[in-house]
Amino acid sequence: MTHFHLPLMLMTAQLASAQIATQWSQMPPLPSAHGFASPVVGNCGGHLLHAGGSNFPDSPLWAGGKKVWHSAIHALGSDGAEWRHVGDLPRPLAHSVGLSHRGVFYILGGQNGEGVRAEVLSLRWVDNAVEVSAELPPLPEPIAMAAGAIVGNTLYLAGGIAQAAKPEPLSAAYSLDLEDTASGWKRLPDWPGPPRCLAAAGALNGRFVLVGGLSRLKDLAADAYLSDAFVYDPESGWSLLPNLPHRAAAALTPIPVSGNDSLIVVGGVDGSGLGQDPQTYPQVPRR
């Protein structure tokens, strides 16, 4: 296993100390009083789409609330004025991977009250609304809570869980050539690290990057939260990157790329909230 020395700058100490010009602004609120967890968000035909997700509308999880899964697709127009309902997924869905490519928004796998899914949905903007189809081959197995990115014309997916009742993190990584979809999904070598779900992934310099996540969902402890990072090169396989300066599970994925060709790891839970009162402890850092 070798370290990767090309300029794939993640949130290492070097990048963390760099001054990156960023200005946050408030977007219009989504049309839900309860918000959504684990939706997919991406570009489709020049519109920002928000699809699926879950919440606890009656009472919080820690108070015994019932989880509700959603199928609505909302779009924010180029004027950024407000979200509007533009369609629905074939079924309620959350914990999917959402990736934009050449005007199409792909939704891979995911989970709902019936279990983990394997289908890949394609969303297109047609006549001021969204059309949903299932033109791509389904995933080799049902997968939710995975990480993915599109590198060039190749779609990558890594980690996740395959069963809701037995949510064991996966070591599997797959790729699909979007210019040769008939060849189907290909299993990649496992990355040189533990299985994981709720990781983050990104594309940079023609390579696929996998960051952090959770090594287990049961019996959670601080050591289940990961800070390691890997890069996959189609020619040479997996290499090890420097660790993040902190653990990060459920960070923003796909990882955004800044203007100076760096991947910026946004958010992510580090396990510091374990055992704390969820009503008062701010469990998600603002890193």
Side-chain angles (χ1 to χ4, degrees), residues 22-46:
T22 306
Q23 182 174 354
W24 294 96
S25 60
Q26 182 72 47
M27 297 174 65
L30 288 160
S32 168
H34 307 286
F36 299 90
S38 302
V40 288
V41 180
N43 175 50
C44 182

Side-chain angles (χ1 to χ4, degrees), residues 6-56:
L6 291 182
L8 282 160
M9 294 172 59
L10 275 83
M11 191 68 86
T12 61
Q14 180 183 5
L15 180 56
S17 64
Q19 297 298 315
I20 299 174
T22 306
Q23 182 174 354
W24 294 96
S25 60
Q26 182 72 47
M27 297 174 65
L30 288 160
S32 168
H34 307 286
F36 299 90
S38 302
V40 288
V41 180
N43 175 50
C44 182
H47 294 75
L48 184 65
L49 294 189
H50 175 288
S54 65
N55 56 24
F56 294 82

